[in-house]
Amino acid sequence: MKILALDSSGLVASAAVVEDDTLLGEYTVNYKKTHSQTLLPMLDEVVKMIELDLHTVDAIAVAGGPGSFTGLRIGSATAKGLGLALDKPIVSVPTVDALAWNLYGCAANICPMMDARRSQVYTGIYSFFQGEFIVRRQQEPMAVDDIISALNELGGETVFLGDGVPVYREQIQERIQVPYHFAPANLNRQRASSVAVLAMNYYKEGKIQTAAEHQPEYLRLSQAERERAARQNSV
């Protein structure tokens, strides 16, 4: 099985191709430029470097949300365009799940944190047991204090990762009551290869969409939508 995967849900842009148990190529950038500038050129470069015939992929995987509203739209539009052009299904992978998958086999509780602004993060709690991926708390937007309280109550060692960690690092250190670590630089941000591997499992379970069906999962209203609702409620 061959999966082409994209992740532009956060600050990182990433494109990868995985075939069965082999990562054929991955291009990841976390440096200033917008995803509209980087994602397609990165994908094109990966395709050229591994001499990939795009028609040979089985599915297009994409980090389906939550995350940056603009980033999710760019990733979704790119995946939909490829799916339509190649007549391939889309596999939408929960963004926070894919982040947790970076730490495959970790015995500790895994807590990804994506900065959602307004003192909130997109987060969840995960672990691995005998190679099985355990979702202890599904991805959702939460106040930082609330997810830390949940981890304290759960107990056990915890590993934090994601772009929310540097934003709320001091708050984590002040509030956490269990042993904890921060994931290193090679594992602490989105990777399209993790999206691809999870997508293989989803594909085998029949969790696929047509390109026309696919929509990102924002999990909460955008700032513009919140402001519009507030204006309507004040009338």
Side-chain angles (χ1 to χ4, degrees), residues 37-78:
Q37 294 175 292
T38 59
L39 193 60
L40 280 173
M42 289 164 51
L43 174 58
D44 184 58
E45 190 65 25
V46 170
V47 168
K48 288 192 295 186
M49 288 297 291
I50 65 174
E51 300 178 340
L52 175 68
D53 178 356
L54 285 170
H55 290 89
T56 65
V57 303
D58 293 286
I60 312 298
V62 63
S68 156
F69 286 83
T70 301
L72 288 175
R73 284 193 289 267
I74 291 169
S76 176
T78 304

